[in-house]
Amino acid sequence: MKLSGAQIFWIVATIEVVMGTWLTITPAIQTSQQDAWISMLIAGVTAVALSFFYARLSTLHPNQTLVQFSKTLLGKWLGGAIVFPYFIVWITLPAALLRSFGDFIHLVFLDRTPVSIIMILLIGLSTYLTYSGGITGIGRFAEIAGPFLYLSLILSFVLNAINLRWNHLLPVFSESGWVTIFKGSLMPASYLAESFTLLVIVSFMNNPRNAPSQSMLGVGMVALMVFIATFMTILVFGPDVSSKLRFPFFMMVRSINIMEFIQNIDVFVIFVWIFGVFAKLALYLFIGSYEMAAWLNIKNWRKTIWVGAAGIFILAYLIPNQTFIGIYPIYWMYILVPVCGIGIPLLLWSVTVMKKKLAKSSVE
Amino acid sequence: MMRAGKLCFVLLLIVSNASGCWNLKEPDQLAFDVASGMDITKDGQFEFSAQIAIPAGIGMAPEGGGGGKKDFIVIGSAGKNIYDAIQNLQTKVSRKIFLGHREVILIGRRMAEQGIGDLLDEFVRNPKSEMRSRMYVVKNADAKDILSLEPIFDPITSTGIVNKQETSGLKKYYFRDFLSDALSQKSAIMLPAVSLTRTPTYLYTGNAIFTKHHGLKLAGFLNTQESFYANWIVNKQAELAITSFVYQGNGNVSLHLESVNRRIIVKMLDQQIQIDVRLTGKGSIVENNSSLNPATPKDLQIIQDSLNQSAHASIQQLIAKAQKQLKTDFFGFDESVRQKYPHQWKTLKSKWNETFPDIDVSVHVNLQCKNMGQANSSIKAIP
C-alpha cells in the first residue's frame, strides 16, 4: 500500500474541509463576531504549522506508523499505552461525524428516512472502500472526489457574490481585540489540528520527503476555504444572524438566488459534501483498524475493520441527540487535541531527538 | 452463483438508493404556499394565512366568460405560534403544505402593532421554511385581505407583490436581510408597506417603521416620498425620480436617478456626535416644463441647484420628523456610530433613544444631471 504526494495532499484537503466549513464557523463567529475571519486566519496558520510538525515527526520514522514507532521508541508496553488516546479519537470522531451528518441529512433532505438507515449506507460504503482498497483506495478516491468538492465550494462562493453586504464587516477589530480573536480561533484551530492523522498515513508515502510540503499545502487549502466561507457567511448574514445558525455555510448555499433562476443548489453541494464525509469515515476506519492490528499484533489488519465499523456505528447510534454531540467539540478542543495533537507528538519528538543524540555520542 | 447473488444484491441496493423514491413527494401531493400572511384576529388570536397556488388553474384562463378554475386559494388558520397554525391549516388542505416556494411574507396591521420579534424563529429553525421571501407590512388591513385580492397581471397576487419591490426602485431585500437588521444593534428598522384600496387592489405606500425596544413593534409609517429618501439614506434604494419646481424657470423638472449612493460620516466633537449624511445621485432629465434649457451649462446648473435644494429640504424635514415627531432612529445612524466609535458606543447604546432627537445631523445632497434626455429646451406650445 503506497501513497503519492498528491494523494496525501488530497486526503488531507478532502477529509478536513467538510467539518471545517460545516462546524467551525458558528463557534468562531459566536466568540469574535464580525472579526471571526481574522480568527480563521490565525487558526489556519496554527494548523499549517502543526501539520508541518506532524509530517516532520512522521518522516523521522520512515515506514513506521504511529503505533509502530511509538513502540520502537518507548518499548512495547509504554509505547503501546501512550497511543491509547488515539484510539479514542479514531472511534469517537467518526462516530460523532457519522451521527451529525446522518442527523443533518435527515433534518434537511430525507426527513422520512430513519437516521440509522442513512448511517448504515454511509458506514457500509466506507467499510467497502477501506476493505477493498486500503489506504491506496482512499487516496485515489480523495484524488477524484477532492477536486469536485473544492469546485463545489468555489462555485458556492462565486454564486453568492451578489448577496454580500460589506457593511456587516464593520467595525473591524476594535470591538473584539486580540484576546477575543485568539479565543475565537481556538475551536477552528482544534478542528484543523485533526491533521495529526498524518502521523499514521505519512508512513505509506512513496516519497516521504514530500510529506511536510504536501500536508502543509493540504491543510493550507482547507484553512483558505474555511476562511473564505467564514468571511462570506459574515457578509451574507451578518455576525448576529450567523452566530445563531447551526450550519451557516449551508444556509449561505441555500440563499443563492441568481435571476430567480439558479436556486436550490444546496442539493448538489450536499451531494459533493457526502464524498468528503465518506472519505473521512473510510480514512478513520482504515487508521483505526490498521493501528489496532499493529497494537494487538494481529497480522491481517482487515479483520479489525469489522470491529471498527460496528463500533463506530453503534456509538453513533447510541448518541441520544444533537445537544449531546454539542459537548464533543468542547471535549475535543480541551482534551483530545491537547493530548493527541500536542502532548504526545511533542513527547515522541523529544524522545526521538534525544535518542538520536545519544546514538551520536555513543558512536563518538 | 455466489458472485451473481452478490451482484444482484449490490444492484438492488444501488437502484433503491439512487432513486431515493421512498422519500419522494410528487408535486401533485403538495400544496405550494406562495405567500404567507401573519395576522392577529379581532379576538386577539394569531392567524397564519397561506396563499396556495392551484397549478391546474394557472394557464387555463377562462375564455369567453365560463368558469375556469381559480389560480389560488387563501386559507387561514389560528394557532399558538406559526407552526401550530400551519398544523391547523393542514387539516383544511388535502395536500401536504410546502413552504419552500414562499415568495412573500405579509404582516397584518394588528400583528405589526403587537410586535413580530417573537415570531422569527420558525423561519430559520424549520428546514422546510423559506428565507428567500420578501417582507411587507399591510398598512390598513389584515394580511389575509391583501392575499385574497384578485390579481391584475399575474395569475397569483404574490408575484405582483414581489415585483412591487423592484418597480418601486427598491433594492432586493430578503427575509435574511430583515433578520440581520432585526438581530443587529439598530434601534429601529424599516419594512416596505402595502395598503388596501377601495377598488379593491393594493399599492405600495412607503415604509413601516419598527422599533426594537419592545420587540419589533410598529412605530409609524412614512409616506412614499419620505420613504424614497429614507431608503436612500439606508442604502435600500436602487433608483428614484425627483420632481421639483424650478423657480427661475417657472416650471417643474423631473430627474430620474439611475444610480444613488450615500455616505454617513460620523464625527465626535467634545462627546457630541455629529452626523453628516452625504447623498449623491446621477441620472437624466426625463421631463422639463420650465423655461430653462438644460443644454446650456448655466441653466443646467440652475436646475441641478434647484433639485438639490428641494431634495435637501425634504430630507431635512424627514430627519426632523424622525428626531422630533417619531423620536426613532430608523436611518441606522446608531449602526454608523457603532462602526466608527465602537468603544464609545458601549456607553451610548443604552441611551441612544434619548440622545438621538438632539443629535446634530447635517445633510448634503449632490445630484448630477448626466443626460438631458431627447430634447434640449422644453417642448412647449407657444401661447
Side-chain angles (χ1 to χ4, degrees):
Chain A
M1 288 191 293
K2 281 291 166 195
L3 281 178
S4 70
Q7 280 171 338
I8 279 279
F9 167 79
W10 281 114
I11 285 178
V12 172
T14 312
I15 64 155
E16 289 205 6
V17 81
V18 174
M19 266 194 163
T21 51
W22 187 36
L23 296 175
T24 63
I25 297 177
T26 307
I29 297 181
Q30 273 172 347
T31 313
S32 41
Q33 293 287 313
Q34 68 271 18
D35 295 324
W37 57 277
I38 311 177
S39 300
M40 287 299 183
L41 284 179
I42 296 169
V45 172
T46 317
V48 169
L50 278 173
S51 73
F52 171 76
F53 169 57
Y54 303 140
R56 185 84 191 92
L57 174 59
S58 195
T59 46
L60 289 177
H61 305 275
N63 296 324
Q64 279 187 313
T65 64
L66 174 66
V67 171
Q68 288 162 346
F69 75 68
S70 155
K71 274 186 176 176
T72 37
L73 270 182
L74 302 171
K76 199 179 164 193
W77 290 108
L78 186 62
I82 210 167
V83 292
F84 181 71
Y86 287 93
F87 287 102
I88 298 177
V89 171
W90 294 330
I91 290 288
T92 55
L93 184 71
L97 171 78
L98 183 64
R99 178 57 185 267
S100 299
F101 208 73
D103 274 349
F104 174 71
I105 299 263
H106 174 75
L107 176 77
V108 182
F109 293 111
L110 303 174
D111 57 337
R112 286 183 293 151
T113 308
V115 179
S116 51
I117 301 276
I118 302 171
M119 294 199 301
I120 284 178
L121 289 174
L122 274 169
I123 195 80
L125 211 55
S126 311
T127 312
Y128 168 72
L129 176 63
T130 313
Y131 191 87
S132 63
I135 189 71
T136 321
I138 296 168
R140 283 189 192 151
F141 176 77
E143 232 176 346
I144 298 166
F148 281 108
L149 191 59
Y150 277 81
L151 209 68
S152 82
L153 283 172
I154 291 165
L155 190 75
S156 67
F157 297 147
V158 171
L159 292 180
N160 252 309
I162 55 165
N163 290 338
L164 306 183
R165 311 273 189 267
W166 288 91
N167 56 327
H168 283 319
L169 226 49
L170 296 170
V172 179
F173 186 74
S174 46
E175 245 180 13
S176 40
W178 282 120
V179 178
T180 318
I181 289 175
F182 271 111
K183 264 189 198 159
S185 74
L186 283 179
M187 186 69 88
S190 78
Y191 269 100
L192 295 173
E194 194 200 331
S195 54
F196 59 73
T197 47
L198 285 166
L199 293 173
V200 181
I201 56 174
V202 165
S203 62
F204 296 102
M205 280 182 78
N206 283 329
N207 190 357
R209 264 193 309 166
N210 289 339
S213 62
Q214 292 294 339
S215 42
M216 277 164 76
L217 259 180
V219 175
M221 191 148 101
V222 174
L224 181 70
M225 289 296 138
V226 175
F227 160 72
I228 300 176
T230 312
F231 193 67
M232 296 205 50
T233 308
I234 296 170
L235 288 179
V236 171
F237 294 109
D240 305 295
V241 177
S242 6
S243 67
K244 292 191 193 258
L245 299 175
R246 283 183 62 213
F247 317 113
F249 176 72
F250 173 71
M251 290 299 225
M252 191 174 86
V253 175
R254 270 205 162 173
S255 54
I256 290 173
N257 182 4
I258 292 180
M259 330 252 317
E260 308 280 330
F261 175 65
I262 302 176
Q263 295 176 331
N264 298 329
I265 63 161
D266 42 336
V267 182
F268 301 103
V269 173
I270 294 302
F271 178 70
V272 185
W273 262 13
I274 295 178
F275 293 164
V277 173
F278 171 57
K280 189 163 179 156
L281 283 174
L283 182 75
Y284 275 99
L285 210 60
F286 171 78
I287 293 174
S289 40
Y290 193 88
E291 291 296 70
M292 182 69 85
W295 202 42
L296 301 173
N297 291 324
I298 299 171
K299 279 257 162 62
N300 185 1
W301 62 270
R302 282 190 164 86
K303 280 181 186 158
T304 49
I305 289 183
W306 305 107
V307 184
I312 290 169
F313 177 77
I314 291 168
L315 201 60
Y317 188 78
L318 288 179
I319 293 168
N321 52 37
Q322 275 291 315
T323 310
F324 186 79
I325 302 187
I327 307 165
Y328 190 72
I330 297 162
Y331 170 67
W332 172 261
M333 183 170 104
Y334 287 112
I335 300 172
L336 290 179
V337 168
V339 172
C340 301
I342 299 165
I344 299 172
L346 263 182
L347 180 77
L348 291 173
W349 184 74
S350 41
V351 173
T352 313
V353 173
M354 273 195 326
K355 277 207 167 173
K356 278 205 172 158
K357 273 192 180 160
L358 280 178
K360 235 183 189 177
S361 56
S362 65
V363 167
E364 281 162 7
Chain B
M1 196 57 218
M2 189 68 186
R3 235 182 124 84
K6 268 186 190 168
L7 201 69
C8 279
F9 176 72
V10 168
L11 277 176
L12 210 69
L13 205 72
I14 290 173
V15 167
S16 66
N17 285 312
S19 60
C21 285
W22 74 90
N23 214 106
L24 185 74
K25 275 254 183 236
E26 291 289 344
D28 63 2
Q29 293 170 302
L30 297 172
F32 291 97
D33 171 33
V34 287
S36 302
M38 305 205 298
D39 287 312
I40 298 287
T41 56
K42 290 202 175 79
D43 41 353
Q45 269 192 304
F46 173 73
E47 190 186 29
F48 183 89
S49 320
Q51 185 176 52
I52 293 168
I54 305 175
I58 295 171
M60 296 216 310
E63 280 171 32
K69 266 191 174 174
K70 274 197 74 171
D71 294 331
F72 64 88
I73 46 162
V74 177
I75 308 172
S77 208
K80 295 187 198 81
N81 61 11
I82 294 177
Y83 201 76
D84 189 41
I86 294 176
Q87 276 314 96
N88 294 336
L89 199 77
Q90 186 65 71
T91 59
K92 302 179 185 175
V93 191
S94 62
R95 295 182 178 184
K96 180 86 184 155
I97 292 173
F98 183 80
L99 300 167
H101 283 301
R102 172 172 51 211
E103 294 191 312
V104 176
I105 299 165
L106 284 181
I107 298 158
R109 174 73 189 246
R110 269 192 297 270
M111 181 81 242
E113 276 167 356
Q114 204 179 80
I116 51 171
D118 295 336
L119 288 171
L120 305 174
D121 186 76
E122 193 269 347
F123 295 98
V124 183
R125 192 177 300 274
N126 184 359
K128 304 232 168 359
S129 203
E130 174 62 55
M131 291 224 291
R132 265 174 308 214
S133 328
R134 320 286 174 99
M135 290 190 87
Y136 287 90
V137 178
V138 183
K139 191 174 180 179
N140 54 359
D142 280 346
K144 203 178 175 182
D145 303 329
I146 299 280
L147 293 179
S148 319
L149 286 173
E150 205 53 47
I152 301 173
F153 295 108
D154 314 283
I156 303 173
T157 342
S158 63
T159 325
I161 301 178
V162 169
N163 291 342
K164 264 275 175 330
Q165 237 184 37
E166 268 109 278
T167 47
S168 308
L170 296 168
K171 286 186 180 167
K172 283 181 182 154
Y173 189 74
Y174 295 100
F175 182 82
R176 62 159 189 276
D177 298 314
F178 162 74
L179 201 66
S180 82
D181 275 347
L183 299 188
S184 75
Q185 299 192 15
K186 290 175 190 165
S187 57
I189 57 175
M190 292 187 289
L191 277 179
V194 290
S195 66
L196 189 69
T197 60
R198 229 173 271 175
T199 334
T201 180
Y202 60 88
L203 47 89
Y204 170 66
T205 48
N207 285 344
I209 296 162
F210 285 85
T211 49
K212 273 196 209 151
H213 46 281
H214 298 301
L216 276 186
K217 271 186 193 171
L218 185 69
F221 286 96
L222 299 178
N223 65 29
T224 30
Q225 202 61 40
E226 289 166 338
S227 303
F228 284 139
Y229 291 121
N231 287 335
W232 191 355
I233 296 174
V234 297
N235 203 13
K236 280 205 256 169
Q237 196 76 28
E239 50 172 30
L240 82 159
I242 290 178
T243 303
S244 112
F245 186 77
V246 182
Y247 184 72
Q248 290 94 323
N250 195 27
N252 290 311
V253 177
S254 287
L255 176 67
H256 179 245
L257 296 168
E258 286 122 16
S259 79
V260 291
N261 268 309
R262 60 100 200 221
R263 263 179 80 197
I264 292 171
I265 296 156
V266 182
K267 275 188 201 136
M268 192 141 359
L269 286 175
D270 313 326
Q271 302 297 311
Q272 288 295 309
I273 297 169
Q274 284 183 349
I275 291 172
D276 186 12
V277 180
R278 293 196 182 169
L279 304 171
T280 53
K282 285 172 191 162
S284 45
I285 297 174
V286 282
E287 186 169 347
N288 173 19
N289 312 324
S290 73
S291 59
L292 296 170
N293 179 2
T296 61
K298 196 176 130 245
D299 283 8
L300 185 70
Q301 196 56 51
I302 293 171
I303 290 171
Q304 280 184 2
D305 289 347
S306 165
L307 285 166
N308 278 339
Q309 273 167 20
S310 124
H312 185 261
S314 310
I315 291 161
Q316 269 192 327
Q317 228 172 2
L318 174 68
I319 290 171
K321 183 176 178 177
Q323 286 186 314
K324 302 290 174 276
Q325 191 189 328
L326 294 166
K327 293 190 170 37
T328 343
D329 172 19
F330 48 82
F331 302 113
F333 289 154
D334 40 8
E335 186 65 29
S336 310
V337 173
R338 181 191 145 231
Q339 287 175 1
K340 184 79 189 285
Y341 297 102
H343 295 295
Q344 289 87 332
W345 173 245
K346 279 170 192 150
T347 51
L348 278 167
K349 189 186 164 189
S350 54
K351 49 179 185 183
W352 182 251
N353 281 323
E354 290 80 56
T355 329
F356 172 68
D358 304 315
I359 279 173
D360 181 14
V361 182
S362 58
V363 180
H364 291 94
V365 187
N366 181 15
L367 300 176
Q368 288 175 353
C369 308
K370 287 286 175 196
N371 199 326
M372 62 181 114
Q374 298 196 104
N376 39 47
S377 65
S378 182
I379 313 280
K380 267 186 184 175
I382 294 160

